[in-house]
Amino acid sequence: MHLHVLFHPKPRENHIRPLACQVFSSYSQILMTKTLSASFTQPHLLGIETLSPVEIETLIDLADQSVAISRQVKKKKTTLRGRTQINLFFESSTRTQSSFELAGKRLGADVMNMSVGASSVKKGETLIDTAMTLNAMKPDILVVRHQAAGAAELLAQKVDCSVINAGDGAHEHPTQALLDALTIRRAKGRIARLVVAICGDVLHSRVARSNIILLNALGARVRVIAPKTLLPAGIEELGVEVFTRMEEGLKGVDIIMMLRLQRERMAGSFVPSIREYFRYFGLDRQRLDIANEDALVMHPGPMNRGVEIASEIADGPRSLIQEQVEMGVAVRMAVIEAIIDNRSRTNS
Ligand code: NCD
């Protein structure tokens, strides 16, 4: 049981508090952490779909407690000392990979980044071969990003260690949805009953899918706004309201989540032109004014400035984009720690 160290150090004035009170407070902290970690019982994190609302909230609560560590001068914990984390990225990534790397290092783990360009994947080695080779090196955590939906789940069945899905095709990106939820909860104080609009390339977006599932599970009202060509068939079945015009969809919205136009995944022509796309679906000042007065803006990155979002909005006072990046490290620390803690408990 290691998770109690997630709590902040006791405040300095503690020495003047009566002993009984101190004892009770540390006891209740340990108890609370035990309850928190006991609510997350999964050996892997493969998607949001397989989590219960209690498990989702547990991870968000744990992540909230991890934010303080990254704000300290010395950002190092020891809970993962002696453990090995491998980040296996078959698709390029800047923020997700660096965020997982920092999260592992801040927990004290040895972290290795497996870069696709330098690996044997280019020589035709399969996903499973690569994973089995890494598995033989006895990692504790394998963080995997792959262009095929279901890749993380497949690996989880083959390897001995815990697998964390860092994005599999257009399927899921669970840590992104968790960090988005933490960002929203810290900014708005809650998630339930908020109106969240996810806008743009929903068709190719694992971020949209994980977010829709998570936000619905926690009681938000989710909308998607996109041209028909960028909406997957049957999206309504995920429990969203569908709009094809920003002017209608943004009315009464609390959170606007913009998505990157994923041109690398577009085989045909899904939008007439970039200029036209921005004109009808880009978030600029006029469109932001349609949403609620206190509406906030998010984007998972990387952003196409001037394509789905205007720079003045991305860098403006209502943007949560930098907070999202900060929360990314906290969420990944919490997920890694919860999974390892869970594994140690079930193995003992
Ligand atoms: C997202 C991804 O890779 O799914 N980005 C990210 O995780 N930082 C979204 C995207 O690529 O547009």
Side-chain angles (χ1 to χ4, degrees), residues 95-96 145 173 176 206-207 260 262 300-302:
R95 67 198 74 205
T96 306
R145 167 169 287 194
H173 192 349
Q176 180 69 44
R206 51 196 174 208
V207 172
R260 181 175 67 90
Q262 300 199 14

Side-chain angles (χ1 to χ4, degrees), residues 25-303:
S25 130
S26 3
Y27 177 72
S28 60
Q29 279 189 354
I30 291 167
L31 204 69
M32 189 175 149
T33 319
K34 275 203 161 150
T35 325
L36 278 182
S37 60
S39 321
F40 183 81
T41 52
Q42 311 252 357
H44 311 283
L45 180 68
L46 304 176
I48 298 295
E49 210 163 15
T50 47
L51 300 182
S52 68
V54 173
E55 284 174 318
I56 295 170
E57 292 206 36
T58 300
L59 291 176
I60 300 174
D61 289 345
L62 289 170
D64 210 358
Q65 292 161 13
S66 296
V67 175
I69 296 155
S70 295
R71 292 184 177 179
Q72 288 165 196
V73 178
K74 290 187 180 165
K75 304 169 177 63
K76 199 91 171 172
K77 291 182 69 178
T78 53
T79 33
L80 259 83
R81 196 161 53 193
R83 304 281 194 160
T84 303
Q85 173 186 330
I86 300 182
N87 297 334
L88 177 59
F89 277 62
F90 292 89
E91 264 183 8
S92 62
S93 159
T94 317
R95 67 198 74 205
T96 306
Q97 190 168 353
S98 50
S99 171
F100 267 112
E101 182 177 352
L102 274 186
K105 286 182 171 166
R106 286 181 186 172
L107 292 171
D110 294 316
V111 184
M112 189 195 106
N113 285 305
M114 179 92 178
S115 127
V116 170
S119 80
S120 342
V121 176
K122 283 264 156 80
K123 300 176 197 154
E125 202 175 12
T126 65
L127 164 70
I128 300 296
D129 287 338
T130 312
M132 292 317 284
T133 305
L134 295 175
N135 188 51
M137 299 180 198
K138 306 272 182 267
D140 299 280
I141 297 258
L142 199 55
V143 178
V144 64
R145 167 169 287 194
H146 196 274
Q147 57 280 6
E153 194 173 343
L154 185 66
L155 283 198
Q157 290 164 9
K158 303 274 178 195
V159 297
D160 306 311
C161 62
S162 293
V163 174
I164 299 178
N165 183 3
D168 61 332
H171 179 229
E172 281 233 40
H173 192 349
T175 54
Q176 180 69 44
L178 289 165
L179 78 87
D180 287 340
L182 176 60
T183 308
I184 297 173
R185 203 177 74 173
R186 287 170 66 101
K188 292 281 186 190
R190 66 187 163 95
I191 289 176
R193 299 178 311 284
L194 287 180
V195 182
V196 182
I198 303 178
C199 315
D201 190 355
V202 182
L203 180 66
H204 300 99
S205 179
R206 51 196 174 208
V207 172
R209 210 170 167 278
S210 289
N211 262 309
I212 292 170
I213 301 168
L214 187 152
L215 291 166
N216 270 323
L218 298 193
R221 285 160 45 202
V222 189
R223 299 177 179 179
V224 292
I225 316 175
K228 276 204 183 77
T229 48
L230 291 179
L231 284 169
I235 180 84
E236 301 83 1
E237 284 154 34
L238 284 179
V240 294
E241 251 186 295
V242 179
F243 294 85
T244 50
R245 277 172 47 84
M246 295 287 269
E247 286 64 25
E248 285 162 23
L250 288 176
K251 280 182 204 149
V253 162
D254 300 299
I255 297 283
I256 308 173
M257 228 180 239
M258 298 308 296
L259 298 173
R260 181 175 67 90
L261 195 59
Q262 300 199 14
R263 282 176 280 179
E264 79 280 12
R265 296 193 203 272
M266 296 182 183
S269 183
F270 286 81
V271 291
S273 77
I274 296 306
R275 187 146 24 124
E276 186 122 325
Y277 183 79
F278 184 72
R279 197 162 134 222
Y280 290 102
F281 291 94
L283 187 66
D284 58 11
R285 198 187 289 250
Q286 287 74 35
R287 295 236 162 83
L288 182 53
D289 283 344
I290 303 170
N292 286 348
E293 227 173 22
D294 58 352
L296 298 170
V297 177
M298 300 173 77
H299 193 303
M303 276 183 281

Side-chain angles (χ1 to χ4, degrees), residues 2-31:
H2 307 292
L3 279 180
H4 62 276
V5 256
L6 276 172
F7 283 92
H8 313 163
K10 278 187 210 138
R12 273 171 193 280
E13 62 273 16
N14 254 2
H15 68 277
I16 50 166
R17 292 161 63 206
L19 186 64
C21 177
Q22 284 183 41
V23 169
F24 176 74
S25 130
S26 3
Y27 177 72
S28 60
Q29 279 189 354
I30 291 167
L31 204 69

